[in-house]
């Protein structure tokens, strides 16, 4: 059987009249931490040493030149902590759950982070798994990863590549076939945090989405039916001097069993097949950008530029903001969101779009505005190239949208909903199912930006992956080929949510 990504998205859609009840099998609740017993473990000190910086400055596009030398083990530990750390704890019927600096659908945390390195002082060359729970690095394969990941360079030449994967059953346990959406969105959240950490430490990076899946999964030693790598981030060095010669990578035998996270894991067909399809990389062809005029939703003269963001009053700075990022649902409809906050939020999305390539150009952003100072409520198109908006339809949509989001009524109290769409017909045409991976990863990246940006502005934010797909699209009159990928609600919240911090 063969699915297009569009067919997968439709097949994994929710329909109010066809919801298939699904009781969670708690006996098979997936483990949220990957463990490699018997492997050498290096502890990472749980302390971030970084001068606080403005998050908005960090987000601005900037040219960073490759550093001469690889980071020390200490700096590498900092990068990993900033990419993902535990931030707070809650108890539930079956025990406790630790929240993290990234959001995750259902707090199921499908994404894993690895590094492949050579020539880092204090760290033997090899492949390591980052254990966020300790935090620590576990050496899972010692030896030189370079020939597979970085071409035919001399053994021992410094290299550092981060690898992000998803363990499929973690989210599929609850969300079944819809889970592939969350594997991609969640991994996008992690990816954005990692890239932000690299920028904070002034490391240049090269993001690679179009790698050879078979080769990379093989090098990680994962079971490709259960876990798949989704993104590589290479850190280049400008003067790579050779270190000591390093042995070839040791065998990956026995590692694949650690991709299993429950005794009895069900495989979901649509998820399995779309992932299989997305393994093929098509030769790069740029997608036609999402175009509101072409969709017939606005006139080309409707765009109105909005003021550039006034330097925002930042409640937190980076990296402290990572500890305070949580999903907030206690929105209040009191004071409207200021125009400056809205502008800052739009700039986060715009700057995020700048880093998009190829397929991700098919992504577009819309806004449902309900409670923003000096703005008529309505559905607005956002132009990603500059800071401009166009009113598509006037009216209050948040109540109806909250109904379309599986009746998550609290969503109606937010000030705005940010909507991320993609023309999946176009994405499919230019990049196949691999393009779906890319747009969803970018949507997740933008989601993490919005969460952090809202936190800095003292606002609440919550990502929403659960919506009746057709109902949500019809509500705002989007054309059939354009699918809603992700929604984020942002607005004022009651200042009463306390989280215990580790
Ligand atoms: C892709 C994605 C989809 C989500 N969908 C929903 C949703 O539909 N409803 C909701 O209340 N929260 C949703 N969330 C928020 C998660 O429930 C939340 O991130 C998780 O419980 C961890 O809590 P924290 O964000 O406070 O750390 C979503 C998060 C992500 C990343």
């Amino acid at each position: 059987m063969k699915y297009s990504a569009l067919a997968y998205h439709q097949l994994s859609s929710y329909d109010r009249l066809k919801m298939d009840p699904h009781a969670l099998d708690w006996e098979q609740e997936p483990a949220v931490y990957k463990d490699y017993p018997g492997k050498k473990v290096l502890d990472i000190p749980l302390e971030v040493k970084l001068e606080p910086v403005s998050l908005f400055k960090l987000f601005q596009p900037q040219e960073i030149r490759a550093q001469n030398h690889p980071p020390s083990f200490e700096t590498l530990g900092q990068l990993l902590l900033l990419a993902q750390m535990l931030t707070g704890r809650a108890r539930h019927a079956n025990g406790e759950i630790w929240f993290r600096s990234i959001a995750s659908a259902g707090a199921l945390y499908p994404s894993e982070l690895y590094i492949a390195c050579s020539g880092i002082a204090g760290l033997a060359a090899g492949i390591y798994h980052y254990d966020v729970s300790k935090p620590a690095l576990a050496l899972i394969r010692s030896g030189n990863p370079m020939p597979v990941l970085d071409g035919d360079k001399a053994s021992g030449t410094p290299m550092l590549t981060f690898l992000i994967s998803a363990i499929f059953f973690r989210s599929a346990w609850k969300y079944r076939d819809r889970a592939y959406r969350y594997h991609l969105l969640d991994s996008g959240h992690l990816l954005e945090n990692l890239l932000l950490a690299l920028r904070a430490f002034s490391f240049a990076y090269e993001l690679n989405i179009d790698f050879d899946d078979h080769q990379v999964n093989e090098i990680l030693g994962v079971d490709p039916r259960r876990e798949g790598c989704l993104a590589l981030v290479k850190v280049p060095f400008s003067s790579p001097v050779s270190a000591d010669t390093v042995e070839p990578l040791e065998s990956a035998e026995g590692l694949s069993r650690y991709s299993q996270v429950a005794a009895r894991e069900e495989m979901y067909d649509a998820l399995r097949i779309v992932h299989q399809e997305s393994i093929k990389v098509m030769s790069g062809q740029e997608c036609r950008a999402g175009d509101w005029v072409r969709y017939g939703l606005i006139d080309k003269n409707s765009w109105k530029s909005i003021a550039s963001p006034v330097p925002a009053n930042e409640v937190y700075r980076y990296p402290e903001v990572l500890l305070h990022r949580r999903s907030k649902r206690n929105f209040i409809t009191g004071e409207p969101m200021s125009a400056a906050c809205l502008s800052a939020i739009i700039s986060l999305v715009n700057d995020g779009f700048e880093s998009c390539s190829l397929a991700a150009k098919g992504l577009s952003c819309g806004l449902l505005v309900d409670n923003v100072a000096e703005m008529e409520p309505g559905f607005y198109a956002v132009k990603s190239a500059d800071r401009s908006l166009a009113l598509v339809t006037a009216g209050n949509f948040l109540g109806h949208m909250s109904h379309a989001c599986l009746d998550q009524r609290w969503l109606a109290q937010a000030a705005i909903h940010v909507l991320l769409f993609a023309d999946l017909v176009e994405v499919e045409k230019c990049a196949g199912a691999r393009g779906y991976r890319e747009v969803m990863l970018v949507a997740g990246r933008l989601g993490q930006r919005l969460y952090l940006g809202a936190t800095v502005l003292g606002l609440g934010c919550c990502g929403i992956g659960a919506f009746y797909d057709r109902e949500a699209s019809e509500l705002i009159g989007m054309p059939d080929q354009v699918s809603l990928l992700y929604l984020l609600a942002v607005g004022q919240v009651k200042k009463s949510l306390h989280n215990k911090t580790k």
Side-chain angles (χ1 to χ4, degrees), residues 188-488:
H189 278 264
L190 174 57
L191 178 59
E192 187 64 14
N193 251 15
L194 169 65
L195 299 183
L196 200 56
L198 287 165
R199 290 158 79 115
F201 274 92
S202 299
F203 282 104
Y205 54 77
E206 293 161 14
L207 173 60
N208 181 2
I209 311 276
D210 291 337
F211 51 89
D212 178 329
D213 280 39
H214 296 296
Q215 225 173 30
V216 171
N217 287 333
E218 200 279 320
I219 208 175
L220 291 176
V222 299
D223 176 346
R225 292 168 307 151
R226 294 191 156 90
E227 180 174 0
C229 185
L230 298 170
L232 301 187
V233 180
K234 178 182 158 189
V235 180
F237 305 112
S238 57
S239 50
V241 277
S242 257
D244 293 341
T245 304
V246 183
E247 298 294 311
L249 266 183
E250 67 180 4
S251 152
E253 208 184 321
L255 290 182
S256 65
R257 81 178 88 120
Y258 302 113
S259 298
Q260 182 162 359
V261 289
R264 202 162 26 81
E265 296 186 352
E266 196 147 335
M267 303 277 175
Y268 292 93
D269 272 351
L271 188 166
R272 184 177 54 76
I273 294 167
V274 72
H275 179 64
Q276 208 52 41
E277 282 301 309
S278 75
I279 285 173
K280 291 175 212 139
V281 177
M282 283 170 55
S283 54
Q285 195 191 25
E286 197 158 294
C287 274
R288 249 189 331 175
D291 184 339
W292 297 85
V293 178
R294 179 160 45 85
Y295 298 150
L297 292 173
I298 55 165
D299 184 77
K300 70 177 181 341
N301 302 317
S302 320
W303 293 112
K304 291 199 174 57
S305 58
I306 57 164
S308 2
V310 195
N313 182 14
E314 301 188 21
V315 179
Y316 300 110
R317 313 237 283 164
Y318 184 84
E320 196 196 0
V321 60
L322 294 171
L323 293 173
H324 295 273
R325 183 225 59 81
R326 286 295 306 277
S327 295
K328 308 265 171 88
R329 301 173 181 88
N330 50 346
F331 294 110
I332 42 172
T333 49
E335 261 187 45
M337 178 191 281
S338 71
C341 279
L342 183 78
S343 177
I345 284 167
I346 291 173
S347 73
L348 286 181
V349 177
N350 281 1
D351 295 345
F353 266 95
E354 296 230 328
S355 59
C356 291
S357 60
L358 303 174
K361 296 267 193 256
L363 205 66
S364 40
C365 176
L367 272 187
L368 298 180
V369 171
D370 225 32
N371 192 18
V372 177
E374 300 153 41
M375 248 183 111
E376 182 177 7
F379 172 38
Y380 289 81
V382 179
K383 199 181 199 178
S384 57
D386 52 36
R387 200 171 288 105
S388 39
L389 295 178
L391 181 63
V392 181
T393 318
N396 292 86
F397 285 91
L398 265 58
H400 296 292
M401 188 52 96
S402 73
H403 183 53
C405 290
L406 270 56
D407 290 294
Q408 301 184 73
R409 290 293 181 177
W410 46 271
L411 284 169
Q413 314 299 315
I416 59 169
H417 290 176
V418 180
L419 309 173
L420 298 171
F421 305 99
D423 180 341
L424 291 182
V425 175
E426 182 66 21
V427 168
E428 187 94 52
K429 203 164 70 191
C430 72
R434 188 69 160 211
Y436 183 67
R437 260 201 214 182
E438 189 175 347
V439 281
M440 291 294 274
L441 282 168
V442 174
R445 287 183 57 189
L446 295 174
Q448 183 69 10
R449 277 176 173 250
L450 287 169
Y451 262 103
L452 294 178
T455 310
V456 159
L457 296 170
L459 298 170
C461 177
C462 190
I464 301 293
F467 40 80
Y468 300 117
D469 294 68
R470 180 176 285 276
E471 220 171 281
S473 287
E474 281 177 358
L475 172 67
I476 46 181
M478 290 306 278
D480 281 350
Q481 77 268 27
V482 182
S483 306
L484 180 60
L485 309 181
Y486 197 18
L487 181 152
L488 292 113

Side-chain angles (χ1 to χ4, degrees), residues 31-35 86 98 100 112 129 131-133 170 261:
V32 285
Y33 304 118
K34 206 175 189 194
D35 193 16
L86 302 187
W98 278 94
R100 309 187 188 184
E112 292 289 342
H129 170 252
D131 181 346
V132 63
S133 70
R170 286 221 184 109
V261 289

Side-chain angles (χ1 to χ4, degrees), residues 86-90 97-100 326 499-502:
L86 302 187
T87 56
R89 187 172 49 158
I97 175 176
W98 278 94
F99 295 105
R100 309 187 188 184
R326 286 295 306 277
N499 305 307
K500 289 184 199 136
T501 306
K502 197 182 186 187

